[in-house]
Amino acid sequence: MNNFTDIVIKKFFDAIDRNFMLFCVDEVVIGFSGGADSVCLMDLFYKNKEKLGVSIIAAHVDHGIRGEEAQRDCDFVKQFCEERDIPIKTLKVNCIEEAKKNKEGVEECGRRIRYEFFESLRNECAVVVTAHNANDNAETLLFNLARGTSVRGACGISVTRNNIIRPIIYCTREEIEGYCKENSLQYVVDSTNLSDDYTRNKIRHNIIPVMEQVNSAAIKNITAFCNDMSDVMDFLDKQADDVLCKARAGINVYKYDPVFYADPAVQKRLILLMYQNFTSSNATLDRKKIESIVNLLYGSGRMQLFGDEWVEVTKKEIRFFINKPKESYPVQHVFVGESYRQGDFSICVELVSYDKELDPGINTDTLLDNLIDCDKIVGNVYLRGREAGDKIKPYARNVTKSLKKLFNEMNIPIELRDSIPVLCDDEGIIWVYGVGAVARTHISESSSNIIYVRGENNDW
């Protein structure tokens, strides 16, 4: 074998073995553009499929951007696979239209479509294989640093991620092209890679060459640096996981102290993990948002993350929540013996004899707070949500407060406040969920007609 071939094969197998890339894998879906990287990757798998114990599927995407050139690439990969009896699946899309429709950048859209297509071809015991190399990794690192990144971005391209593996990530572009030449492998050249219209190409054509003039081993050294940073990231993840277990206080709710007293590097990772556990989207927090949340730890408050996703920090807890648009709830007439729902809350109004029908399963203080003297009610009883300007004088408190202030003092989750049940008669508020009866209608020693208002909510 020739020099480049020996180097590439060694790095290929080292990457697979060191990272357990093919553990319990019987099939690989290889992203096959027809460029030098993917041709090299395909050849490595084709020649070693028996040794590796895997079958191969090639997957090619025409992004609908390069016209005749894209068709040339498609014809090339089909012929390459046909000559080797490799199954191939192709997809043609209009990335420009898709990007506009989904309000994405064209590159971002193309990447998403590619990986969705690759994933659609994968069975339970298969992995997706991409041909990212050491130069791609170096370009990604420099791009991340220029754009602004954290330790995660300093790791470059992940060697493995979920069901994706990158076995030639340690091979340089020079080594890959040398492998193709030594093994008489033809490949196509994407003309968009030759211009500086894309940011990555500017780095490839202008910055990497200068770095290699400074040190010919620049790519190798950047690869080693990214590996070191990946080890650091793994350590931080383990530390963050430990703190996360101690801090967890409920669904998307975390104790303040374990997070506040964590090492700053772990703290930032913690915040990212908490958000990832919370969100159902593919969004992630950038450095600016993470630092803003860290700043909240030294005070208090809340901030919007994305859309209706919010985080709130108090000296007691950190809470991620969905802040739904304010809902208006219809006013409902209330009758004894009936149950009612408002948002995620439910209440039941029961006629009780205070002396004889105390439920031993109910806390006595809670029962007392929620007892109302029927004879003190004026007119009809209604159920509604809170309204601007609502004020009450709670039972056993010689002070009148607004519901807004009371809810703040009670740390009631913001997203629940508008749906909290409020009972009124024709004169005003007589009871509020979580607060109890107001002084005007609360029972006294002479009360004989008494109702008990029982409320429930699973989130609070």
Side-chain angles (χ1 to χ4, degrees), residues 376-432:
K376 295 178 181 178
I377 293 173
V378 179
N380 296 311
V381 178
Y382 310 92
L383 170 64
R384 64 169 172 82
R386 69 166 176 165
E387 295 178 354
D390 277 345
K391 294 181 180 180
I392 63 169
K393 183 178 180 181
Y395 156 71
R397 297 195 206 180
N398 192 29
V399 62
T400 299
K401 289 189 176 182
S402 68
L403 289 189
K404 181 178 180 180
K405 189 168 185 179
L406 275 170
F407 290 171
N408 283 336
E409 291 174 355
M410 296 167 66
N411 291 320
I412 294 174
I414 295 169
E415 68 273 19
L416 296 179
R417 296 182 184 182
D418 289 330
S419 59
I420 286 179
V422 176
L423 289 183
C424 306
D425 63 9
D426 290 344
E427 192 169 301
I429 296 173
I430 62 173
W431 176 90
V432 179

CSV table of all heavy atoms in Angstrom, one decimal, residues 376-432:
chain,number,residue,atom,x,y,z
A,376,LYS,N,-73.8,35.2,55.0
A,376,LYS,CA,-73.1,36.5,54.7
A,376,LYS,C,-72.9,36.8,53.2
A,376,LYS,O,-72.4,37.8,52.8
A,376,LYS,CB,-71.7,36.5,55.4
A,376,LYS,CG,-71.8,36.4,56.9
A,376,LYS,CD,-70.4,36.3,57.5
A,376,LYS,CE,-70.4,36.3,59.0
A,376,LYS,NZ,-69.1,36.2,59.6
A,377,ILE,N,-73.3,35.8,52.4
A,377,ILE,CA,-73.2,36.0,51.0
A,377,ILE,C,-74.3,36.9,50.5
A,377,ILE,O,-75.5,36.8,50.9
A,377,ILE,CB,-73.3,34.6,50.2
A,377,ILE,CG1,-72.1,33.8,50.6
A,377,ILE,CG2,-73.4,34.8,48.7
A,377,ILE,CD1,-72.2,32.3,50.1
A,378,VAL,N,-74.0,37.8,49.6
A,378,VAL,CA,-75.0,38.8,49.0
A,378,VAL,C,-75.3,38.4,47.6
A,378,VAL,O,-74.5,38.4,46.7
A,378,VAL,CB,-74.4,40.2,49.0
A,378,VAL,CG1,-75.4,41.2,48.4
A,378,VAL,CG2,-74.0,40.6,50.4
A,379,GLY,N,-76.6,38.0,47.4
A,379,GLY,CA,-77.0,37.6,46.1
A,379,GLY,C,-76.5,36.3,45.6
A,379,GLY,O,-76.4,35.3,46.4
A,380,ASN,N,-76.1,36.2,44.3
A,380,ASN,CA,-75.6,35.0,43.7
A,380,ASN,C,-74.1,34.8,43.9
A,380,ASN,O,-73.4,35.8,44.1
A,380,ASN,CB,-76.0,34.9,42.2
A,380,ASN,CG,-77.5,34.9,42.0
A,380,ASN,OD1,-78.2,34.1,42.7
A,380,ASN,ND2,-78.0,35.8,41.2
A,381,VAL,N,-73.7,33.6,43.6
A,381,VAL,CA,-72.2,33.3,43.7
A,381,VAL,C,-71.7,33.0,42.3
A,381,VAL,O,-72.4,32.2,41.5
A,381,VAL,CB,-71.9,32.1,44.6
A,381,VAL,CG1,-70.4,31.8,44.6
A,381,VAL,CG2,-72.4,32.5,46.1
A,382,TYR,N,-70.6,33.5,41.9
A,382,TYR,CA,-70.0,33.4,40.6
A,382,TYR,C,-68.6,32.9,40.7
A,382,TYR,O,-67.8,33.2,41.6
A,382,TYR,CB,-70.0,34.7,39.8
A,382,TYR,CG,-71.4,35.4,39.8
A,382,TYR,CD1,-71.7,36.3,40.8
A,382,TYR,CD2,-72.3,35.1,38.8
A,382,TYR,CE1,-72.9,37.0,40.8
A,382,TYR,CE2,-73.6,35.7,38.8
A,382,TYR,CZ,-73.8,36.7,39.8
A,382,TYR,OH,-75.1,37.3,39.8
A,383,LEU,N,-68.1,32.2,39.7
A,383,LEU,CA,-66.7,31.8,39.5
A,383,LEU,C,-66.1,32.5,38.3
A,383,LEU,O,-66.7,32.5,37.2
A,383,LEU,CB,-66.6,30.3,39.3
A,383,LEU,CG,-65.2,29.7,38.9
A,383,LEU,CD1,-64.2,29.9,40.0
A,383,LEU,CD2,-65.3,28.2,38.5
A,384,ARG,N,-65.0,33.1,38.5
A,384,ARG,CA,-64.3,33.8,37.4
A,384,ARG,C,-62.8,33.8,37.7
A,384,ARG,O,-62.3,33.3,38.7
A,384,ARG,CB,-64.8,35.3,37.3
A,384,ARG,CG,-64.4,36.2,38.6
A,384,ARG,CD,-64.7,37.6,38.3
A,384,ARG,NE,-64.6,38.5,39.4
A,384,ARG,CZ,-63.5,39.0,39.9
A,384,ARG,NH1,-62.3,38.7,39.3
A,384,ARG,NH2,-63.5,39.9,40.9
A,385,GLY,N,-62.0,34.4,36.7
A,385,GLY,CA,-60.6,34.5,36.9
A,385,GLY,C,-60.3,35.9,37.6
A,385,GLY,O,-61.2,36.7,37.8
A,386,ARG,N,-59.0,36.1,37.9
A,386,ARG,CA,-58.7,37.4,38.5
A,386,ARG,C,-58.9,38.6,37.4
A,386,ARG,O,-58.8,38.3,36.2
A,386,ARG,CB,-57.3,37.4,39.0
A,386,ARG,CG,-56.2,37.4,37.9
A,386,ARG,CD,-54.8,37.7,38.5
A,386,ARG,NE,-53.8,37.6,37.5
A,386,ARG,CZ,-52.6,38.1,37.6
A,386,ARG,NH1,-52.2,38.7,38.8
A,386,ARG,NH2,-51.7,37.9,36.7
A,387,GLU,N,-59.1,39.8,37.9
A,387,GLU,CA,-59.3,40.9,37.1
A,387,GLU,C,-58.4,42.0,37.6
A,387,GLU,O,-58.0,42.1,38.8
A,387,GLU,CB,-60.8,41.4,37.1
A,387,GLU,CG,-61.7,40.4,36.5
A,387,GLU,CD,-63.2,40.8,36.5
A,387,GLU,OE1,-63.4,41.9,37.2
A,387,GLU,OE2,-64.0,40.1,35.9
A,388,ALA,N,-58.0,43.0,36.7
A,388,ALA,CA,-57.2,44.1,37.1
A,388,ALA,C,-57.9,44.8,38.3
A,388,ALA,O,-59.1,45.1,38.3
A,388,ALA,CB,-57.0,45.0,36.0
A,389,GLY,N,-57.1,45.1,39.3
A,389,GLY,CA,-57.6,45.9,40.4
A,389,GLY,C,-58.2,45.1,41.5
A,389,GLY,O,-58.7,45.6,42.6
A,390,ASP,N,-58.3,43.8,41.4
A,390,ASP,CA,-58.9,42.9,42.4
A,390,ASP,C,-58.1,43.1,43.8
A,390,ASP,O,-56.9,43.0,43.8
A,390,ASP,CB,-58.8,41.4,42.0
A,390,ASP,CG,-59.9,41.0,41.1
A,390,ASP,OD1,-60.9,41.8,41.1
A,390,ASP,OD2,-59.9,39.9,40.5
A,391,LYS,N,-58.8,43.3,44.8
A,391,LYS,CA,-58.3,43.4,46.2
A,391,LYS,C,-59.1,42.7,47.1
A,391,LYS,O,-60.3,42.6,47.0
A,391,LYS,CB,-58.2,44.9,46.6
A,391,LYS,CG,-57.2,45.8,45.8
A,391,LYS,CD,-57.2,47.2,46.4
A,391,LYS,CE,-56.2,48.0,45.6
A,391,LYS,NZ,-56.2,49.4,46.1
A,392,ILE,N,-58.5,42.1,48.2
A,392,ILE,CA,-59.2,41.4,49.2
A,392,ILE,C,-58.6,41.6,50.6
A,392,ILE,O,-57.4,42.0,50.7
A,392,ILE,CB,-59.3,39.8,48.9
A,392,ILE,CG1,-57.9,39.2,49.0
A,392,ILE,CG2,-60.0,39.5,47.6
A,392,ILE,CD1,-57.9,37.7,49.0
A,393,LYS,N,-59.4,41.3,51.6
A,393,LYS,CA,-58.9,41.3,53.0
A,393,LYS,C,-59.1,39.9,53.5
A,393,LYS,O,-60.2,39.4,53.8
A,393,LYS,CB,-59.7,42.2,53.9
A,393,LYS,CG,-59.2,42.3,55.3
A,393,LYS,CD,-60.0,43.3,56.2
A,393,LYS,CE,-59.5,43.4,57.6
A,393,LYS,NZ,-60.3,44.3,58.4
A,394,PRO,N,-58.0,39.1,53.4
A,394,PRO,CA,-58.1,37.6,53.7
A,394,PRO,C,-58.5,37.4,55.2
A,394,PRO,O,-58.3,38.3,56.1
A,394,PRO,CB,-56.7,37.1,53.5
A,394,PRO,CG,-56.0,38.2,52.6
A,394,PRO,CD,-56.6,39.5,53.0
A,395,TYR,N,-59.1,36.3,55.4
A,395,TYR,CA,-59.5,35.9,56.8
A,395,TYR,C,-58.2,35.8,57.6
A,395,TYR,O,-57.2,35.4,57.2
A,395,TYR,CB,-60.2,34.5,56.7
A,395,TYR,CG,-60.1,33.7,58.0
A,395,TYR,CD1,-60.8,34.0,59.1
A,395,TYR,CD2,-59.2,32.6,58.0
A,395,TYR,CE1,-60.7,33.3,60.3
A,395,TYR,CE2,-59.1,31.8,59.2
A,395,TYR,CZ,-59.9,32.2,60.3
A,395,TYR,OH,-59.8,31.4,61.5
A,396,ALA,N,-58.3,36.3,58.9
A,396,ALA,CA,-57.2,36.2,59.8
A,396,ALA,C,-56.1,37.2,59.5
A,396,ALA,O,-55.0,37.1,60.1
A,396,ALA,CB,-56.7,34.8,60.0
A,397,ARG,N,-56.3,38.1,58.5
A,397,ARG,CA,-55.3,39.1,58.2
A,397,ARG,C,-55.9,40.5,58.3
A,397,ARG,O,-56.9,40.7,57.5
A,397,ARG,CB,-54.6,38.9,56.9
A,397,ARG,CG,-53.9,37.6,56.7
A,397,ARG,CD,-53.0,37.6,55.5
A,397,ARG,NE,-52.8,36.3,54.9
A,397,ARG,CZ,-52.1,36.1,53.8
A,397,ARG,NH1,-51.6,37.1,53.2
A,397,ARG,NH2,-51.9,34.9,53.4
A,398,ASN,N,-55.4,41.3,59.1
A,398,ASN,CA,-56.0,42.6,59.2
A,398,ASN,C,-55.4,43.6,58.2
A,398,ASN,O,-54.9,44.7,58.6
A,398,ASN,CB,-55.8,43.2,60.7
A,398,ASN,CG,-56.7,44.4,61.0
A,398,ASN,OD1,-57.7,44.5,60.4
A,398,ASN,ND2,-56.2,45.2,61.9
A,399,VAL,N,-55.5,43.2,57.0
A,399,VAL,CA,-54.9,44.1,55.9
A,399,VAL,C,-55.5,43.7,54.6
A,399,VAL,O,-55.9,42.6,54.3
A,399,VAL,CB,-53.3,43.8,55.8
A,399,VAL,CG1,-53.0,42.4,55.5
A,399,VAL,CG2,-52.7,44.8,54.8
A,400,THR,N,-55.7,44.8,53.8
A,400,THR,CA,-56.2,44.6,52.4
A,400,THR,C,-55.1,44.6,51.4
A,400,THR,O,-54.3,45.5,51.5
A,400,THR,CB,-57.3,45.7,52.1
A,400,THR,OG1,-58.4,45.6,53.0
A,400,THR,CG2,-57.8,45.5,50.7
A,401,LYS,N,-55.1,43.6,50.5
A,401,LYS,CA,-54.0,43.5,49.5
A,401,LYS,C,-54.6,43.2,48.2
A,401,LYS,O,-55.6,42.6,48.1
A,401,LYS,CB,-53.0,42.5,49.9
A,401,LYS,CG,-52.1,42.8,51.1
A,401,LYS,CD,-51.0,41.8,51.3
A,401,LYS,CE,-50.1,42.2,52.4
A,401,LYS,NZ,-48.9,41.2,52.5
A,402,SER,N,-53.9,43.6,47.1
A,402,SER,CA,-54.3,43.3,45.8
A,402,SER,C,-53.9,41.8,45.5
A,402,SER,O,-53.0,41.3,46.1
A,402,SER,CB,-53.6,44.2,44.8
A,402,SER,OG,-52.2,43.9,44.7
A,403,LEU,N,-54.7,41.2,44.7
A,403,LEU,CA,-54.3,39.8,44.3
A,403,LEU,C,-53.0,39.7,43.7
A,403,LEU,O,-52.2,38.7,43.9
A,403,LEU,CB,-55.4,39.2,43.4
A,403,LEU,CG,-56.8,38.9,43.9
A,403,LEU,CD1,-57.6,38.2,42.9
A,403,LEU,CD2,-56.7,38.1,45.2
A,404,LYS,N,-52.6,40.7,42.9
A,404,LYS,CA,-51.3,40.7,42.3
A,404,LYS,C,-50.2,40.6,43.3
A,404,LYS,O,-49.2,39.8,43.2
A,404,LYS,CB,-51.1,42.0,41.4
A,404,LYS,CG,-49.7,42.0,40.7
A,404,LYS,CD,-49.7,43.3,39.9
A,404,LYS,CE,-48.3,43.4,39.2
A,404,LYS,NZ,-48.2,44.6,38.3
A,405,LYS,N,-50.3,41.4,44.4
A,405,LYS,CA,-49.3,41.4,45.5
A,405,LYS,C,-49.3,40.1,46.2
A,405,LYS,O,-48.3,39.5,46.6
A,405,LYS,CB,-49.5,42.6,46.4
A,405,LYS,CG,-48.4,42.8,47.4
A,405,LYS,CD,-48.5,44.1,48.1
A,405,LYS,CE,-47.3,44.3,49.0
A,405,LYS,NZ,-47.4,45.7,49.7
A,406,LEU,N,-50.5,39.6,46.5
A,406,LEU,CA,-50.6,38.3,47.2
A,406,LEU,C,-50.0,37.2,46.5
A,406,LEU,O,-49.3,36.4,47.0
A,406,LEU,CB,-52.1,38.0,47.5
A,406,LEU,CG,-52.7,38.6,48.8
A,406,LEU,CD1,-54.2,38.4,48.7
A,406,LEU,CD2,-52.1,38.1,50.0
A,407,PHE,N,-50.3,37.1,45.2
A,407,PHE,CA,-49.7,36.1,44.3
A,407,PHE,C,-48.2,36.1,44.3
A,407,PHE,O,-47.5,35.1,44.2
A,407,PHE,CB,-50.3,36.1,42.9
A,407,PHE,CG,-51.8,35.7,42.8
A,407,PHE,CD1,-52.5,35.9,41.7
A,407,PHE,CD2,-52.4,35.2,43.9
A,407,PHE,CE1,-53.8,35.6,41.6
A,407,PHE,CE2,-53.8,34.9,43.9
A,407,PHE,CZ,-54.5,35.0,42.7
A,408,ASN,N,-47.7,37.4,44.2
A,408,ASN,CA,-46.2,37.5,44.3
A,408,ASN,C,-45.6,37.0,45.6
A,408,ASN,O,-44.6,36.3,45.6
A,408,ASN,CB,-45.8,39.0,44.1
A,408,ASN,CG,-45.9,39.5,42.7
A,408,ASN,OD1,-45.9,38.7,41.7
A,408,ASN,ND2,-46.1,40.8,42.5
A,409,GLU,N,-46.3,37.4,46.7
A,409,GLU,CA,-45.8,36.9,48.0
A,409,GLU,C,-45.9,35.4,48.2
A,409,GLU,O,-45.0,34.8,48.8
A,409,GLU,CB,-46.6,37.6,49.1
A,409,GLU,CG,-46.4,39.1,49.2
A,409,GLU,CD,-47.4,39.7,50.2
A,409,GLU,OE1,-48.3,39.0,50.8
A,409,GLU,OE2,-47.2,40.9,50.5
A,410,MET,N,-46.8,34.8,47.5
A,410,MET,CA,-47.0,33.4,47.6
A,410,MET,C,-46.2,32.6,46.6
A,410,MET,O,-46.3,31.3,46.6
A,410,MET,CB,-48.5,33.0,47.5
A,410,MET,CG,-49.4,33.6,48.6
A,410,MET,SD,-51.2,33.6,48.2
A,410,MET,CE,-51.4,31.8,48.2
A,411,ASN,N,-45.5,33.3,45.7
A,411,ASN,CA,-44.7,32.7,44.7
A,411,ASN,C,-45.5,31.8,43.8
A,411,ASN,O,-45.1,30.7,43.4
A,411,ASN,CB,-43.5,31.9,45.3
A,411,ASN,CG,-42.5,32.7,45.9
A,411,ASN,OD1,-42.1,33.8,45.4
A,411,ASN,ND2,-42.0,32.3,47.1
A,412,ILE,N,-46.7,32.2,43.5
A,412,ILE,CA,-47.6,31.4,42.6
A,412,ILE,C,-47.0,31.5,41.2
A,412,ILE,O,-46.7,32.6,40.7
A,412,ILE,CB,-49.0,31.9,42.6
A,412,ILE,CG1,-49.6,31.7,44.0
A,412,ILE,CG2,-49.9,31.3,41.6
A,412,ILE,CD1,-51.0,32.3,44.2
A,413,PRO,N,-46.8,30.4,40.5
A,413,PRO,CA,-46.3,30.5,39.1
A,413,PRO,C,-47.1,31.4,38.2
A,413,PRO,O,-48.3,31.5,38.2
A,413,PRO,CB,-46.5,29.0,38.6
A,413,PRO,CG,-46.4,28.2,39.9
A,413,PRO,CD,-47.1,29.0,40.9
A,414,ILE,N,-46.3,32.2,37.5
A,414,ILE,CA,-46.9,33.3,36.7
A,414,ILE,C,-47.9,32.8,35.7
A,414,ILE,O,-49.0,33.3,35.5
A,414,ILE,CB,-45.8,34.0,35.9
A,414,ILE,CG1,-44.9,34.7,36.9
A,414,ILE,CG2,-46.4,35.0,34.9
A,414,ILE,CD1,-43.6,35.3,36.2
A,415,GLU,N,-47.6,31.6,35.1
A,415,GLU,CA,-48.5,31.1,34.0
A,415,GLU,C,-49.8,30.6,34.6
A,415,GLU,O,-50.7,30.3,33.8
A,415,GLU,CB,-47.8,30.0,33.2
A,415,GLU,CG,-47.5,28.7,34.0
A,415,GLU,CD,-46.2,28.7,34.8
A,415,GLU,OE1,-45.7,29.8,35.0
A,415,GLU,OE2,-45.7,27.6,35.1
A,416,LEU,N,-49.9,30.4,35.9
A,416,LEU,CA,-51.2,29.9,36.5
A,416,LEU,C,-52.1,31.1,37.0
A,416,LEU,O,-53.3,30.8,37.3
A,416,LEU,CB,-50.9,29.0,37.7
A,416,LEU,CG,-50.1,27.7,37.4
A,416,LEU,CD1,-49.9,26.9,38.6
A,416,LEU,CD2,-50.9,26.8,36.4
A,417,ARG,N,-51.5,32.2,37.2
A,417,ARG,CA,-52.3,33.3,37.9
A,417,ARG,C,-53.6,33.7,37.3
A,417,ARG,O,-54.6,34.0,38.0
A,417,ARG,CB,-51.3,34.5,38.1
A,417,ARG,CG,-50.1,34.2,39.0
A,417,ARG,CD,-49.3,35.4,39.2
A,417,ARG,NE,-48.1,35.0,40.0
A,417,ARG,CZ,-47.1,35.9,40.4
A,417,ARG,NH1,-47.2,37.2,40.1
A,417,ARG,NH2,-46.1,35.4,41.0
A,418,ASP,N,-53.6,33.8,36.0
A,418,ASP,CA,-54.9,34.2,35.3
A,418,ASP,C,-56.0,33.2,35.4
A,418,ASP,O,-57.1,33.6,35.2
A,418,ASP,CB,-54.6,34.6,33.9
A,418,ASP,CG,-53.8,35.9,33.7
A,418,ASP,OD1,-53.9,36.8,34.6
A,418,ASP,OD2,-53.0,36.0,32.7
A,419,SER,N,-55.6,31.9,35.6
A,419,SER,CA,-56.6,30.9,35.7
A,419,SER,C,-57.0,30.5,37.1
A,419,SER,O,-57.9,29.7,37.3
A,419,SER,CB,-56.2,29.7,34.9
A,419,SER,OG,-55.0,29.2,35.5
A,420,ILE,N,-56.4,31.1,38.1
A,420,ILE,CA,-56.8,30.8,39.5
A,420,ILE,C,-58.2,31.1,39.8
A,420,ILE,O,-58.7,32.3,39.5
A,420,ILE,CB,-55.8,31.6,40.5
A,420,ILE,CG1,-54.4,30.9,40.4
A,420,ILE,CG2,-56.4,31.6,41.9
A,420,ILE,CD1,-53.4,31.5,41.3
A,421,PRO,N,-59.0,30.2,40.3
A,421,PRO,CA,-60.4,30.4,40.6
A,421,PRO,C,-60.6,31.5,41.6
A,421,PRO,O,-60.0,31.5,42.7
A,421,PRO,CB,-60.9,29.1,41.1
A,421,PRO,CG,-59.9,28.1,40.6
A,421,PRO,CD,-58.6,28.8,40.6
A,422,VAL,N,-61.6,32.4,41.3
A,422,VAL,CA,-62.0,33.5,42.2
A,422,VAL,C,-63.5,33.4,42.4
A,422,VAL,O,-64.2,33.4,41.3
A,422,VAL,CB,-61.6,34.9,41.7
A,422,VAL,CG1,-62.2,36.0,42.6
A,422,VAL,CG2,-60.1,35.0,41.6
A,423,LEU,N,-64.0,33.2,43.6
A,423,LEU,CA,-65.5,33.2,43.8
A,423,LEU,C,-65.9,34.6,44.3
A,423,LEU,O,-65.3,35.3,45.1
A,423,LEU,CB,-65.9,32.2,44.9
A,423,LEU,CG,-65.7,30.7,44.5
A,423,LEU,CD1,-66.2,29.8,45.7
A,423,LEU,CD2,-66.5,30.4,43.3
A,424,CYS,N,-67.0,35.1,43.7
A,424,CYS,CA,-67.6,36.4,44.0
A,424,CYS,C,-69.1,36.3,44.3
A,424,CYS,O,-69.8,35.3,43.8
A,424,CYS,CB,-67.4,37.4,42.9
A,424,CYS,SG,-65.7,37.5,42.3
A,425,ASP,N,-69.6,37.2,45.1
A,425,ASP,CA,-71.0,37.4,45.2
A,425,ASP,C,-71.4,38.7,44.6
A,425,ASP,O,-70.5,39.4,44.0
A,425,ASP,CB,-71.5,37.2,46.6
A,425,ASP,CG,-71.0,38.3,47.6
A,425,ASP,OD1,-70.3,39.3,47.1
A,425,ASP,OD2,-71.2,38.2,48.8
A,426,ASP,N,-72.6,39.2,44.8
A,426,ASP,CA,-73.0,40.5,44.1
A,426,ASP,C,-72.2,41.7,44.7
A,426,ASP,O,-72.3,42.8,44.2
A,426,ASP,CB,-74.5,40.7,44.2
A,426,ASP,CG,-75.2,39.7,43.4
A,426,ASP,OD1,-74.6,39.1,42.5
A,426,ASP,OD2,-76.4,39.5,43.6
A,427,GLU,N,-71.6,41.5,45.8
A,427,GLU,CA,-70.9,42.6,46.5
A,427,GLU,C,-69.4,42.6,46.2
A,427,GLU,O,-68.7,43.6,46.4
A,427,GLU,CB,-71.1,42.6,48.0
A,427,GLU,CG,-70.7,43.9,48.7
A,427,GLU,CD,-71.2,43.9,50.1
A,427,GLU,OE1,-72.5,43.9,50.3
A,427,GLU,OE2,-70.4,44.0,51.1
A,428,GLY,N,-68.8,41.4,45.9
A,428,GLY,CA,-67.4,41.4,45.6
A,428,GLY,C,-66.8,40.0,45.8
A,428,GLY,O,-67.5,39.0,45.9
A,429,ILE,N,-65.5,39.9,46.0
A,429,ILE,CA,-64.8,38.6,46.1
A,429,ILE,C,-65.1,38.0,47.5
A,429,ILE,O,-65.0,38.7,48.5
A,429,ILE,CB,-63.3,38.8,45.9
A,429,ILE,CG1,-63.0,39.3,44.5
A,429,ILE,CG2,-62.5,37.5,46.2
A,429,ILE,CD1,-61.5,39.6,44.3
A,430,ILE,N,-65.4,36.7,47.5
A,430,ILE,CA,-65.6,36.0,48.8
A,430,ILE,C,-64.6,34.9,49.0
A,430,ILE,O,-64.5,34.4,50.2
A,430,ILE,CB,-67.1,35.4,48.9
A,430,ILE,CG1,-67.3,34.4,47.7
A,430,ILE,CG2,-68.1,36.5,48.8
A,430,ILE,CD1,-68.6,33.6,47.9
A,431,TRP,N,-63.9,34.5,48.0
A,431,TRP,CA,-62.9,33.4,48.2
A,431,TRP,C,-62.0,33.3,47.0
A,431,TRP,O,-62.4,33.6,45.9
A,431,TRP,CB,-63.7,32.0,48.3
A,431,TRP,CG,-62.8,30.8,48.4
A,431,TRP,CD1,-62.3,30.2,49.5
A,431,TRP,CD2,-62.3,30.0,47.2
A,431,TRP,NE1,-61.6,29.1,49.1
A,431,TRP,CE2,-61.6,28.9,47.8
A,431,TRP,CE3,-62.5,30.1,45.9
A,431,TRP,CZ2,-61.0,28.0,47.0
A,431,TRP,CZ3,-61.9,29.1,45.1
A,431,TRP,CH2,-61.1,28.1,45.6
A,432,VAL,N,-60.7,33.0,47.3
A,432,VAL,CA,-59.7,32.9,46.2
A,432,VAL,C,-58.9,31.6,46.4
A,432,VAL,O,-58.5,31.3,47.6
A,432,VAL,CB,-58.7,34.1,46.2
A,432,VAL,CG1,-57.6,33.9,45.1
A,432,VAL,CG2,-59.5,35.4,46.0
